Coordinates of all heavy atoms in Angstrom, one line a residue:
E1698 N 102.7 46.8 166.6 CA 102.8 45.4 166.3 C 103.9 44.8 167.1 O 104.9 45.5 167.3 CB 103.0 45.1 164.9 CG 101.8 45.5 164.0 CD 102.0 45.1 162.5 OE1 103.0 44.5 162.2 OE2 101.0 45.3 161.7
G1699 N 103.7 43.6 167.6 CA 104.8 42.9 168.3 C 104.5 41.4 168.4 O 103.6 40.9 167.8
R1700 N 105.3 40.7 169.2 CA 105.1 39.3 169.4 C 105.7 38.9 170.7 O 106.6 39.6 171.3 CB 105.7 38.5 168.3 CG 107.2 38.6 168.1 CD 107.6 37.9 166.8 NE 107.2 36.5 166.7 CZ 106.9 35.9 165.5 NH1 106.9 36.5 164.4 NH2 106.5 34.7 165.5
F1701 N 105.2 37.8 171.3 CA 105.8 37.2 172.5 C 105.6 35.7 172.5 O 104.7 35.2 171.7 CB 105.2 37.9 173.8 CG 103.8 37.6 174.0 CD1 103.4 36.5 174.8 CD2 102.8 38.4 173.4 CE1 102.0 36.3 175.0 CE2 101.4 38.2 173.7 CZ 101.0 37.1 174.5
R1702 N 106.3 35.0 173.4 CA 106.1 33.6 173.5 C 105.8 33.3 174.9 O 106.3 33.9 175.9 CB 107.5 32.9 173.1 CG 107.4 31.4 173.3 CD 108.7 30.7 172.8 NE 108.8 30.8 171.3 CZ 109.8 30.4 170.6 NH1 110.8 29.8 171.3 NH2 109.9 30.5 169.3
I1710 N 103.9 28.5 173.0 CA 103.0 29.2 172.0 C 103.6 30.5 171.7 O 103.9 31.3 172.5 CB 101.6 29.4 172.6 CG1 101.0 28.0 173.2 CG2 100.6 29.9 171.5 CD1 100.7 27.0 172.2
D1711 N 103.6 30.8 170.3 CA 104.0 32.2 169.9 C 102.7 33.0 169.6 O 101.8 32.4 169.0 CB 104.8 32.1 168.6 CG 106.3 31.6 168.9 OD1 106.8 32.0 169.9 OD2 106.8 30.8 168.1
F1712 N 102.7 34.2 170.1 CA 101.6 35.1 169.8 C 102.1 36.3 168.9 O 103.1 36.9 169.3 CB 101.0 35.6 171.1 CG 100.3 34.6 171.9 CD1 101.0 33.9 172.9 CD2 98.9 34.3 171.7 CE1 100.3 33.0 173.7 CE2 98.3 33.4 172.5 CZ 99.0 32.7 173.5
R1713 N 101.5 36.5 167.8 CA 101.8 37.7 167.0 C 100.7 38.7 167.3 O 99.5 38.4 167.1 CB 101.8 37.3 165.5 CG 102.5 38.3 164.6 CD 102.7 37.7 163.2 NE 101.4 37.9 162.5 CZ 101.1 37.2 161.5 NH1 101.9 36.2 161.1 NH2 100.0 37.4 160.8
V1714 N 101.0 39.9 167.7 CA 100.1 40.9 168.2 C 100.0 42.1 167.3 O 101.0 42.6 166.9 CB 100.5 41.3 169.7 CG1 99.5 42.3 170.2 CG2 100.7 40.1 170.6
R1728 N 97.4 36.6 166.9 CA 97.5 35.4 166.1 C 98.2 34.3 166.9 O 99.3 34.5 167.4 CB 98.2 35.7 164.8 CG 98.6 34.4 163.9 CD 97.4 33.7 163.4 NE 96.5 34.5 162.6 CZ 96.6 34.7 161.3 NH1 97.6 34.1 160.6 NH2 95.7 35.4 160.6
V1729 N 97.5 33.2 167.1 CA 98.1 32.1 167.9 C 98.9 31.1 167.0 O 98.3 30.5 166.1 CB 97.0 31.3 168.6 CG1 97.5 30.3 169.5 CG2 96.1 32.3 169.4
L1730 N 100.1 31.0 167.2 CA 101.0 30.2 166.4 C 101.5 29.0 167.3 O 102.4 29.1 168.1 CB 102.2 31.0 165.9 CG 101.8 32.2 165.1 CD1 103.1 33.0 164.8 CD2 101.1 31.8 163.8
D1731 N 100.8 27.9 167.2 CA 101.0 26.7 168.0 C 101.7 25.7 167.2 O 101.1 25.0 166.3 CB 99.7 26.2 168.6 CG 99.8 25.0 169.5 OD1 101.0 24.6 169.7 OD2 98.8 24.6 170.1
K1732 N 103.0 25.4 167.4 CA 103.7 24.4 166.6 C 103.2 23.0 166.8 O 103.4 22.2 166.0 CB 105.2 24.5 167.0 CG 105.8 25.8 166.6 CD 107.3 25.8 167.0 CE 107.9 27.2 166.7 NZ 109.4 27.2 167.0
L1737 N 103.3 21.0 160.0 CA 104.2 21.5 158.9 C 104.7 20.3 158.1 O 105.8 20.2 157.8 CB 105.3 22.3 159.4 CG 105.0 23.6 160.2 CD1 106.2 24.4 160.6 CD2 104.0 24.5 159.4
T1774 N 101.1 30.3 153.8 CA 102.4 30.3 154.4 C 102.7 28.9 155.1 O 103.8 28.4 155.0 CB 102.5 31.4 155.5 OG1 102.2 32.6 154.9 CG2 103.8 31.4 156.1
T1775 N 101.6 28.3 155.7 CA 101.8 27.0 156.2 C 102.2 26.0 155.2 O 103.0 25.1 155.4 CB 100.5 26.5 156.9 OG1 100.2 27.4 158.0 CG2 100.6 25.1 157.5
Y1778 N 105.9 26.6 154.3 CA 106.7 26.0 155.4 C 106.8 24.5 155.2 O 107.8 23.9 155.4 CB 106.1 26.3 156.7 CG 106.5 27.7 157.3 CD1 105.6 28.4 158.0 CD2 107.7 28.3 157.0 CE1 105.9 29.7 158.5 CE2 108.0 29.6 157.5 CZ 107.1 30.3 158.2 OH 107.4 31.5 158.7
I1781 N 109.1 23.5 152.4 CA 110.5 23.7 152.8 C 110.9 22.6 153.8 O 112.0 22.0 153.7 CB 110.7 25.1 153.4 CG1 110.6 26.1 152.4 CG2 112.0 25.1 154.2 CD1 110.8 27.5 152.8
I1791 N 119.1 27.3 152.5 CA 117.7 27.9 152.3 C 117.6 29.1 153.1 O 117.9 29.2 154.3 CB 116.7 26.8 152.8 CG1 116.9 25.5 152.0 CG2 115.3 27.3 152.6 CD1 115.9 24.4 152.5
I1792 N 117.1 30.2 152.5 CA 116.9 31.5 153.2 C 115.4 31.9 152.9 O 114.9 31.8 151.8 CB 117.8 32.6 152.6 CG1 119.3 32.1 152.8 CG2 117.6 33.9 153.4 CD1 120.3 33.1 152.3
T1793 N 114.8 32.4 153.9 CA 113.4 32.9 153.8 C 113.4 34.4 154.1 O 114.2 34.9 155.0 CB 112.4 32.2 154.7 OG1 112.6 32.6 156.1 CG2 112.6 30.7 154.6
V1794 N 112.5 35.2 153.4 CA 112.3 36.6 153.7 C 110.8 36.7 153.9 O 110.0 36.5 153.0 CB 112.8 37.5 152.5 CG1 112.6 38.9 152.8 CG2 114.2 37.2 152.1
E1795 N 110.5 37.1 155.2 CA 109.1 37.1 155.6 C 108.6 38.3 156.3 O 109.4 39.1 156.8 CB 108.9 35.9 156.5 CG 109.3 34.5 156.0 CD 109.3 33.4 157.0 OE1 108.2 33.2 157.5 OE2 110.3 32.8 157.3
D1796 N 107.3 38.5 156.4 CA 106.7 39.7 157.1 C 105.4 39.2 157.8 O 104.4 39.3 157.2 CB 106.5 40.8 156.1 CG 105.8 42.0 156.8 OD1 106.1 42.2 158.0 OD2 105.1 42.8 156.1
P1797 N 105.5 38.8 159.0 CA 106.7 38.5 159.8 C 107.0 37.0 159.8 O 106.3 36.3 159.1 CB 106.3 38.9 161.2 CG 104.8 38.6 161.3 CD 104.3 38.8 159.9
I1798 N 108.0 36.6 160.5 CA 108.3 35.2 160.6 C 107.3 34.5 161.5 O 107.1 34.9 162.6 CB 109.7 34.9 161.2 CG1 110.8 35.5 160.3 CG2 110.0 33.5 161.5 CD1 112.2 35.6 160.9
E1799 N 106.6 33.5 161.0 CA 105.5 32.9 161.7 C 106.0 31.7 162.6 O 105.6 31.6 163.7 CB 104.4 32.4 160.8 CG 103.6 33.6 160.2 CD 102.2 33.2 159.7 OE1 101.8 32.1 160.0 OE2 101.6 34.0 159.0
Y1800 N 106.8 30.9 162.0 CA 107.4 29.7 162.7 C 108.9 29.7 162.5 O 109.3 29.9 161.3 CB 106.8 28.4 162.3 CG 105.3 28.3 162.6 CD1 104.4 28.4 161.5 CD2 104.9 28.0 163.8 CE1 103.0 28.3 161.8 CE2 103.5 27.8 164.1 CZ 102.6 28.0 163.1 OH 101.3 27.9 163.4
Q1801 N 109.6 29.4 163.5 CA 111.1 29.3 163.4 C 111.3 27.8 162.9 O 110.9 26.9 163.5 CB 111.8 29.5 164.7 CG 111.8 30.9 165.2 CD 112.7 31.8 164.4 OE1 113.6 31.3 163.6 NE2 112.6 33.1 164.5
L1802 N 112.0 27.7 161.7 CA 112.2 26.4 161.1 C 113.7 26.0 161.4 O 114.6 26.8 161.2 CB 112.0 26.4 159.6 CG 110.6 26.8 159.2 CD1 110.5 26.9 157.7 CD2 109.6 25.8 159.7
K1803 N 113.9 24.8 161.9 CA 115.2 24.3 162.3 C 116.1 24.2 161.1 O 115.7 23.6 160.1 CB 115.0 23.0 163.0 CG 116.3 22.4 163.6 CD 116.1 21.1 164.3 CE 117.4 20.6 164.9 NZ 117.2 19.3 165.6
I1805 N 117.0 26.6 159.1 CA 116.7 27.5 158.0 C 117.1 28.9 158.4 O 116.8 29.3 159.5 CB 115.2 27.4 157.6 CG1 114.7 26.0 157.4 CG2 114.9 28.3 156.4 CD1 115.3 25.4 156.2
N1806 N 117.7 29.7 157.5 CA 118.0 31.1 157.8 C 116.7 31.9 157.4 O 116.3 32.0 156.3 CB 119.1 31.5 156.9 CG 120.4 30.7 157.1 OD1 121.0 30.7 158.1 ND2 120.7 29.8 156.1
Q1807 N 116.1 32.6 158.4 CA 114.9 33.3 158.2 C 115.2 34.8 158.5 O 115.7 35.2 159.6 CB 113.8 32.8 159.1 CG 113.4 31.4 158.7 CD 112.4 30.7 159.7 OE1 112.8 30.0 160.6 NE2 111.1 31.0 159.4
V1808 N 114.7 35.7 157.6 CA 114.9 37.1 157.8 C 113.5 37.8 157.8 O 112.6 37.5 157.0 CB 115.7 37.7 156.6 CG1 115.9 39.2 156.8 CG2 117.0 37.0 156.5
S1809 N 113.3 38.7 158.8 CA 112.0 39.4 158.9 C 112.2 40.8 158.4 O 113.2 41.5 158.8 CB 111.6 39.5 160.4 OG 110.3 40.2 160.5
I1810 N 111.4 41.2 157.4 CA 111.5 42.6 156.8 C 111.1 43.6 157.8 O 110.3 43.4 158.8 CB 110.8 42.7 155.5 CG1 109.3 42.8 155.8 CG2 111.1 41.6 154.5 CD1 108.5 43.4 154.6
N1811 N 111.6 44.9 157.6 CA 111.3 46.0 158.5 C 111.2 47.3 157.7 O 112.2 48.0 157.5 CB 112.3 46.1 159.6 CG 112.0 47.2 160.7 OD1 111.0 47.9 160.5 ND2 112.8 47.2 161.7
P1812 N 110.0 47.6 157.1 CA 109.9 48.8 156.3 C 110.3 50.1 157.0 O 110.7 51.0 156.3 CB 108.4 48.8 155.9 CG 108.0 47.4 156.1 CD 108.8 46.9 157.2
L1816 N 114.1 48.1 155.2 CA 114.4 46.7 154.9 C 113.1 46.1 154.3 O 112.4 45.4 155.0 CB 114.8 46.0 156.2 CG 115.3 44.5 156.0 CD1 116.5 44.5 155.2 CD2 115.5 43.9 157.4
F1818 N 111.0 43.8 151.1 CA 111.3 42.5 150.4 C 112.3 42.7 149.4 O 113.3 41.9 149.3 CB 110.0 42.0 149.8 CG 109.1 41.3 150.8 CD1 107.8 41.8 151.1 CD2 109.5 40.0 151.3 CE1 107.0 41.1 152.0 CE2 108.7 39.3 152.2 CZ 107.4 39.8 152.5
C1821 N 115.9 43.4 150.8 CA 116.4 42.2 151.5 C 116.8 41.2 150.5 O 117.9 40.5 150.7 CB 115.4 41.7 152.5 SG 116.0 40.5 153.6
V1825 N 120.2 38.9 150.0 CA 120.0 37.4 150.1 C 120.7 36.7 149.0 O 121.3 35.7 149.1 CB 118.5 37.0 150.2 CG1 118.3 35.5 149.9 CG2 118.0 37.4 151.6
M1834 N 112.7 31.5 149.9 CA 111.3 31.7 150.1 C 111.0 33.1 150.3 O 111.5 33.7 151.2 CB 110.8 30.8 151.3 CG 109.3 30.9 151.5 SD 108.8 30.2 153.1 CE 108.0 31.6 153.9
I1835 N 110.1 33.7 149.5 CA 109.6 35.1 149.7 C 108.2 35.0 150.3 O 107.3 34.4 149.7 CB 109.6 35.8 148.4 CG1 111.0 35.7 147.7 CG2 109.2 37.3 148.6 CD1 111.0 36.2 146.3
G1836 N 108.0 35.7 151.5 CA 106.7 35.6 152.1 C 105.6 36.0 151.2 O 104.5 35.3 151.3
E1837 N 105.7 37.0 150.4 CA 104.7 37.5 149.6 C 105.2 38.4 148.5 O 106.1 39.2 148.8 CB 103.6 38.2 150.4 CG 102.4 38.7 149.6 CD 101.4 39.6 150.4 OE1 101.5 39.6 151.6 OE2 100.6 40.2 149.7
R1839 N 104.4 41.4 146.6 CA 103.5 42.5 146.8 C 103.6 43.6 145.7 O 102.6 44.3 145.5 CB 103.7 43.2 148.2 CG 103.4 42.3 149.3 CD 103.7 43.0 150.6 NE 103.4 42.2 151.8 CZ 103.7 42.5 153.0 NH1 104.3 43.7 153.3 NH2 103.4 41.7 154.0

Side-chain angles (χ1 to χ4, degrees):
E1698 293 185 359
R1700 63 190 304 148
F1701 66 92
R1702 177 175 293 179
I1710 309 294
D1711 287 321
F1712 291 91
R1713 200 173 78 204
V1714 179
R1728 170 64 57 88
V1729 183
L1730 303 171
D1731 184 355
K1732 293 181 183 179
L1737 302 182
T1774 305
T1775 300
Y1778 279 145
I1781 285 179
I1791 303 176
I1792 304 178
T1793 75
V1794 183
E1795 306 172 58
D1796 180 27
I1798 296 169
E1799 292 201 7
Y1800 295 104
Q1801 289 288 345
L1802 300 176
K1803 188 176 180 181
I1805 308 295
N1806 304 288
Q1807 295 174 265
V1808 182
S1809 181
I1810 72 162
N1811 186 354
L1816 185 63
F1818 276 114
C1821 194
V1825 164
M1834 181 190 120
I1835 305 170
E1837 182 186 344
R1839 296 178 179 173

